[in-house]
Amino acid sequence: MAKRDKAFVEFVEAAGPSLRRTAYLIGGDRHKADDVVQETLYKLYLAWPKVQRAGNPFAYARRMLVNVAYDSGRRPWRREVTSAEVPDSAVHGGDFAAGHADRDEVLEALRALAPRQRACVVLRYYEDLSVEQTAEILGCSEGTVKSQAARGLDTLRKAIDRRRSPAL
């Protein structure tokens, strides 16, 4: 084992339990704490020579752990809420046909959009691309993407509202 690796392993053995407790107290979940510690140790290992030269690797690791914990909370998939029970039914009370009807309704309304509006809506909201990325792909300005997406969403809302509440 290389000298660098040996020093890192010794540090992890000494500081690991404390880092895990800190991560648990910050995040409130043991599994998330394990993930945060793992990511912290990975980043710490990459910077280990620098950390050793700076002195006080535990303080450095603790600060890094707090940053990783905050960053992980910002990620959308980290905001999931766990549940002890699995729901008995899916969307629409388990009515599979109703879910497909809604999907078909949205697809039909989407097909009715002008091509540029449809492209903007799909790239922005289905593919989750930024305004800048969408503009680059479509070869247009960011303002065009914003206006076309806004108009497209407005048209979709109106089309779906019309289908759901037909004129009397």
Side-chain angles (χ1 to χ4, degrees), residues 51-96:
V51 172
Q52 283 186 305
R53 282 191 304 274
N56 199 355
F58 185 69
Y60 193 96
R62 191 174 31 229
R63 181 65 198 163
M64 191 179 264
L65 178 108
V66 170
N67 290 339
V68 168
Y70 286 161
D71 289 345
S72 70
R74 292 183 186 123
R75 296 181 187 140
W77 63 86
R78 299 287 187 175
R79 293 185 209 125
E80 295 175 356
V81 179
T82 57
S83 175
E85 298 177 20
V86 177
D88 289 336
S89 60
V91 178
H92 298 289
D95 187 356
F96 184 73

Side-chain angles (χ1 to χ4, degrees), residues 91-126:
V91 178
H92 298 289
D95 187 356
F96 184 73
H100 277 279
D102 285 350
R103 184 186 66 122
D104 290 344
E105 184 178 26
V106 170
L107 289 174
E108 187 178 327
L110 193 58
R111 279 190 290 270
L113 294 178
R116 182 155 292 206
Q117 286 181 358
R118 183 171 51 247
C120 287
V121 168
V122 168
L123 291 172
R124 287 282 294 127
Y125 303 106
Y126 181 77

